[in-house]
Amino acid sequence: MASSLDVKNIRKDFPALHQEIYGKPLVYFDNAATTQKPRQVIERMIKYYEEENCNIHRGVHYLSQKATEAFENARRNIQQFINAKETHEIIFTKGTTDSVNLVKTSFGEEFLQAGDEVIVSVAEHHSNFVPWQVLSEKKNIPLRIIPVNDKGELIFEEFEKLLNEKTKLLAITHTSNTLGSIVDIKKFIDKAHEHDVVVLIDGAQAVMHKQLDVQELDCDFYCFSGHKMYAPMGGGILYGKEKLLEKMPPFQYGGEMVDQVTIKGTSFNELPFKFEAGTPNVEAILGLDEAIKYLQNIGFDNIAKYEKRLLDYATEKLLKIEGLRILGTSENKASLISFLIGDIHPYDAGTIIDKMGIAVRTGHHCAQPVLDHFEVPGTIRASMVFYNTFEEIDRLVEAIMQVKKMFE
Ligand code: PLP
């Protein structure tokens, strides 16, 4: 594939992009909430239902074996994609929230004691904040919070001050869904490990932008959702180091996670099945496998370069608008921009922008602690990916000018 992106052709792969909303061509800038799906992913799911549909594992008949093979093949591909050491370190979940909750229950509730401490950051999505807050309240485990600076970057020096002999877990985001800041997680992981602290990374906003290597990062857990990386909803990943997963008890009970069940007791299956109770979302995982192939075919370097150009262009254009304020100004940012237009409420602005056929997200983005920190109730968020164009950014700028005009 050539080094620059053929966006015009890429867009042909995404049927949902070619619709009119209120009589105007759709501009989809809500990619951080969920991305649109390429035809290849949609077709993979149709193929599954037309040719392979069957419950996986255990069945001896042809279809069951075919579906199982495709599912386990996806696991191997995902292992290679994130460079995990072992295939059984890949646990299929419903998504990031489910993955974090698995770790909270099977690791947090099992191994953390009253008086131990957990560190999170103020910039977490609620999915990587609330589970730890609940654990903290339930087991009397103080929750320590890494603050952010004015640019919306996690302050490493403050993190160092929070670390002590009681710290047992660090759970932080790789990329903030609200500010866009990309965290230098390697630095945090290495420092945490100096203190024998286990590290969970929420990669929900990171994996679709940049090639991931969990062995290089040396994180203990890494979570992400398929639907934010061009794959179906309802399928996600928990990566965990074997030595931790081995000693953790199951999260849920029933189905494929058992080994032997008698009326006297139950023994559990080995990794990764121990953590995969009930019928999994097979089509979502096959779709994720296909989405990864799609991204690899485009090339992560090409994606990163193009998305950076989109971010720079949009930032420059938006900053020229009088009264517009951007929240999250780190130099190391994903291609999303959170902003406010003067005193106009984000919901009012978002409603008018929507009427112009442009999908942006408005509100607290499930990250209320960080918005409290900046003392704003919410923002408007435009999140861009490789199928977006510079013309679409121009249309957003026009829409913002229209909003201003209506409120002035
Ligand atoms: N973490 C981050 C950083 C997110 O942006 C999101 C979703 O927006 C989540 C976690 C939760 O993801 P899911 O709803 O797919 O479980």
Side-chain angles (χ1 to χ4, degrees):
M1 183 115 194
S3 66
S4 62
L5 294 194
D6 184 354
V7 178
K8 209 169 156 200
N9 263 324
I10 283 175
R11 285 178 70 85
K12 290 186 191 152
D13 290 335
F14 291 84
L17 295 178
H18 306 284
Q19 339 178 24
E20 294 210 333
I21 307 287
Y22 307 116
K24 304 196 174 64
L26 167 69
V27 173
Y28 188 74
F29 278 156
D30 196 17
N31 295 290
T34 199
T35 50
Q36 298 301 342
K37 321 304 172 200
R39 198 178 298 284
Q40 291 83 341
V41 168
I42 299 168
E43 280 169 4
R44 180 65 190 93
M45 291 173 75
I46 294 172
K47 182 176 176 332
Y48 170 69
Y49 280 117
E50 289 185 346
E51 298 171 24
E52 298 158 304
N53 177 45
C54 193
N55 213 325
I56 55 164
H57 301 130
R58 292 171 197 257
V60 291
H61 65 81
Y62 179 83
L63 277 188
S64 179
Q65 292 204 2
K66 199 172 171 192
T68 304
E69 207 176 293
F71 189 75
E72 291 306 325
N73 202 28
R75 198 189 304 271
R76 277 189 293 279
N77 291 342
I78 292 163
Q79 173 208 347
Q80 283 166 15
F81 170 59
I82 67 169
N83 194 29
K85 204 165 161 200
E86 307 289 347
T87 316
H88 54 254
E89 292 177 323
I90 307 297
I91 312 293
F92 290 133
T93 65
K94 288 188 281 182
T96 309
T97 307
D98 198 31
S99 302
V100 176
N101 276 281
L102 192 164
V103 178
K104 175 249 174 197
T105 304
S106 296
F107 178 81
E109 295 200 4
E110 191 68 21
F111 299 113
L112 302 194
Q113 315 296 337
D116 287 344
E117 294 184 5
V118 169
I119 302 180
V120 296
S121 88
V122 74
E124 298 309 311
H125 186 281
H126 295 165
S127 292
N128 193 33
F129 191 91
V130 180
W132 306 118
Q133 194 172 48
V134 168
L135 180 75
S136 159
E137 285 162 10
K138 190 169 165 186
K139 293 195 74 174
N140 194 16
I141 295 169
L143 193 61
R144 307 289 181 211
I145 317 277
I146 308 169
V148 291
N149 61 21
D150 291 347
K151 293 179 173 178
E153 297 163 329
L154 269 59
I155 307 173
F156 184 75
E157 295 71 28
E158 294 298 324
F159 161 62
E160 283 183 302
K161 285 186 209 157
L162 295 176
L163 275 170
N164 63 60
E165 70 284 356
K166 293 186 205 139
T167 316
K168 291 291 178 304
L169 179 80
L170 167 70
I172 51 166
T173 189
H174 197 161
T175 299
S176 156
N177 74 323
T178 305
L179 308 166
S181 336
I182 299 172
V183 181
D184 182 359
I185 49 168
K186 179 73 185 141
K187 203 167 148 188
F188 283 80
I189 294 166
D190 288 349
K191 180 52 72 180
H193 283 170
E194 281 173 23
H195 295 255
D196 291 328
V197 171
V198 168
V199 184
L200 174 144
I201 302 294
D202 170 355
Q205 294 295 341
V207 275
M208 64 295 236
H209 299 299
K210 201 171 174 272
Q211 182 66 54
L212 175 68
D213 185 333
V214 289
Q215 286 193 75
E216 193 192 314
L217 286 174
D218 197 27
C219 52
D220 300 290
F221 298 107
Y222 195 99
C223 317
F224 60 95
S225 307
H227 71 97
K228 291 181 194 289
M229 55 183 306
Y230 313 94
M233 291 187 172
I237 303 297
L238 168 68
Y239 157 78
K241 280 186 185 160
E242 179 184 345
K243 64 172 195 245
L244 284 166
L245 293 175
E246 278 294 0
K247 65 176 190 178
M248 284 158 56
F251 173 45
Q252 290 174 332
Y253 299 88
E256 189 55 28
M257 54 75 62
V258 302
D259 176 24
Q260 293 293 326
V261 182
T262 69
I263 53 171
K264 290 206 180 103
T266 297
S267 58
F268 301 119
N269 206 339
E270 58 192 14
L271 286 177
F273 311 110
K274 176 172 92 171
F275 291 111
E276 295 177 359
T279 300
N281 194 337
V282 179
E283 72 274 24
I285 297 305
L286 300 187
L288 174 57
D289 189 20
E290 198 63 38
I292 290 170
K293 281 185 205 133
Y294 184 84
L295 292 173
Q296 286 174 328
N297 193 35
I298 296 177
F300 275 94
D301 281 352
N302 293 331
I303 291 173
K305 274 186 210 141
Y306 181 74
E307 290 181 346
K308 171 85 171 83
R309 282 178 56 212
L310 286 176
L311 175 68
D312 289 348
Y313 184 80
T315 306
E316 195 192 321
K317 288 269 170 173
L318 291 189
L319 283 178
K320 284 196 181 132
I321 301 174
E322 210 190 311
L324 189 142
R325 174 183 162 210
I326 293 180
L327 240 74
T329 50
S330 173
E331 279 85 53
N332 199 9
K333 247 184 96 167
S335 46
L336 71 85
I337 305 185
S338 254
F339 60 95
L340 289 158
I341 314 165
D343 294 333
I344 304 168
H345 197 284
Y347 285 122
D348 294 334
T351 309
I352 299 167
I353 294 171
D354 171 56
K355 292 287 178 297
M356 296 180 214
I358 303 172
V360 287
R361 185 137 299 238
T362 48
H364 57 56
H365 316 299
C366 295
Q368 281 175 310
V370 83
L371 291 178
D372 285 348
H373 168 86
F374 283 102
E375 296 178 350
V376 296
T379 68
I380 306 157
R381 183 185 70 188
S383 47
M384 300 156 287
V385 297
F386 60 80
Y387 51 56
N388 290 122
T389 66
F390 297 92
E391 293 74 31
E392 288 181 319
I393 295 170
D394 292 341
R395 274 192 53 201
L396 175 64
V397 171
E398 275 167 36
I400 296 170
M401 297 311 286
Q402 190 69 29
V403 171
K404 276 179 59 112
K405 216 160 145 192
M406 287 173 80
F407 278 86
E408 267 159 21

